[in-house]
Amino acid sequence: MVWVAASASDLSGLGLLTWVYPPGLVDRVVAACGRSEQRRRLLPARLVVYFVLGLALFSPAPYLEVMRHLVAGLRGLGLLGKWHVPAKSSLFRARQRLGFEPLQVLFAATAKPMANESTPGAFWRGLRLLAVDGTCWDVADTEANQAAFGRPGNGRGTRRSAFVQVRMAALVEVGSHAVLDAELAGCRTGEVTLVGRLPRSCDAGQLVLADRGFLGVPLWRAFTATGADLLWRVPANRVLPIRKLLRDGSWLSDIHAGTDPAKRDLVQVRVLA
């Protein structure tokens, strides 16, 4: 999946989305998810998929404006006939009928590395550069979202945020910013838990970057088991003793799980200061 940043005025219509997500693929995904229409609608499922993608890519724009821009090119070519932009309430209902499953399946079918050897920042010494990280964002304050995702609060649980929040962890190609895999959950689910599901999309020939919050034996082993190489930051207070000093100033050390020296689960790492 390709993420594009632009304003609503830059939206070039269905052409861009159909180039990235061909209509035939969208139709197959819709059918596989059981969302095909039983009768002819003003908003067929294929158009609703493109509409929801437009909402995600151009989130500041309201529903009707996104739909108008999506079909502007078709209207200019005289291909819309008597079709007209439906009322906002119809767009709400169409989005509810579609559900999230077709978008989830479409993402899984199209998420892949986009960079090549000439893409700036995409490779290092023949290894494709990937990165993992997490983020949170606010979602609509509804009872369904509250039940599914919850609200962040303080450590004592005496105060809750005004907003329902979703947490996401993603595996991203550095050179293209393409999202190759993602996991979503409620805001109370930790980033490490979500990132632990992303090794399924890693392989040999990749160098996976991660921030200091992810360093730990189970997660490290899960990623290295895929054949990928890792380059992860270390918290400032983490002590990594020198087991063997190397000629370039780096050294071999180990990270471990557990506090009992006799039962520590050790993993050897190379430390770059």
Side-chain angles (χ1 to χ4, degrees):
M1 178 176 288
V2 179
W3 295 95
V4 181
S7 65
S9 61
D10 294 329
L11 195 67
S12 57
L14 284 171
L16 171 64
L17 292 174
T18 56
W19 176 71
V20 179
Y21 307 103
L25 172 62
V26 173
D27 289 345
R28 291 193 296 274
V29 167
V30 166
C33 295
R35 299 299 195 279
S36 300
E37 299 85 7
Q38 301 302 314
R39 58 188 177 86
R40 188 176 182 85
R41 292 183 180 274
L42 187 63
L43 287 168
R46 179 201 295 177
L47 178 57
V48 179
V49 169
Y50 290 130
F51 169 64
V52 174
L53 291 172
L55 290 175
L57 292 172
F58 306 93
S59 56
Y63 272 39
L64 294 178
E65 184 176 351
V66 170
M67 181 58 80
R68 291 191 188 102
H69 279 286
L70 284 177
V71 301
L74 298 179
R75 187 177 300 282
L77 294 174
L79 299 177
L80 286 184
K82 296 181 179 180
W83 190 92
H84 61 276
V85 175
K88 187 176 181 179
S89 58
S90 297
L91 292 174
F92 279 138
R93 290 193 295 271
R95 187 178 180 184
Q96 290 177 336
R97 283 197 305 270
L98 182 70
F100 71 87
E101 291 89 351
L103 280 301
Q104 187 177 54
V105 174
L106 185 63
F107 172 78
T110 57
K112 61 183 180 180
M114 305 292 291
N116 56 41
E117 294 285 353
S118 63
T119 304
F123 288 85
W124 181 80
R125 296 190 177 184
L127 298 174
R128 186 182 298 274
L129 297 179
L130 308 181
V132 294
D133 206 353
T135 187
C136 285
W137 67 85
D138 299 335
V139 294
D141 188 4
T142 66
E143 291 185 3
N145 282 344
Q146 162 76 25
F149 305 116
R151 303 172 189 266
N154 60 21
R156 298 181 299 275
T158 57
R159 179 184 298 178
R160 294 193 307 169
S161 169
F163 302 101
V164 179
Q165 289 190 343
V166 173
R167 187 182 303 280
M168 180 187 75
L171 178 70
V172 179
E173 184 182 44
V174 173
S176 67
H177 295 182
V179 178
L180 307 183
D181 199 352
E183 275 288 330
L184 285 81
C187 60
R188 302 296 180 90
T189 302
E191 287 183 347
V192 171
T193 299
L194 296 181
V195 168
R197 303 169 190 171
L198 301 179
R200 64 196 176 199
S201 297
C202 295
D203 205 346
Q206 300 170 342
L207 178 61
V208 181
L209 314 178
D211 209 347
R212 65 192 67 178
F214 299 109
L215 184 65
V217 169
L219 207 54
W220 185 273
R221 282 196 162 144
F223 277 93
T224 55
T226 68
D229 291 285
L230 311 185
L231 179 60
W232 293 9
R233 294 185 67 188
V234 179
N237 61 352
R238 187 70 174 263
V239 177
L240 294 172
I242 298 176
R243 305 303 185 196
K244 180 181 180 181
L245 185 63
L246 303 178
R247 294 175 60 184
D248 61 359
S250 64
W251 66 91
L252 299 182
S253 186
D254 48 61
I255 58 176
H256 57 81
T259 57
D260 184 348
K263 298 180 179 179
R264 283 179 176 175
D265 185 11
L266 299 178
V267 172
Q268 188 178 74
V269 296
R270 181 181 178 186
V271 184
L272 308 177

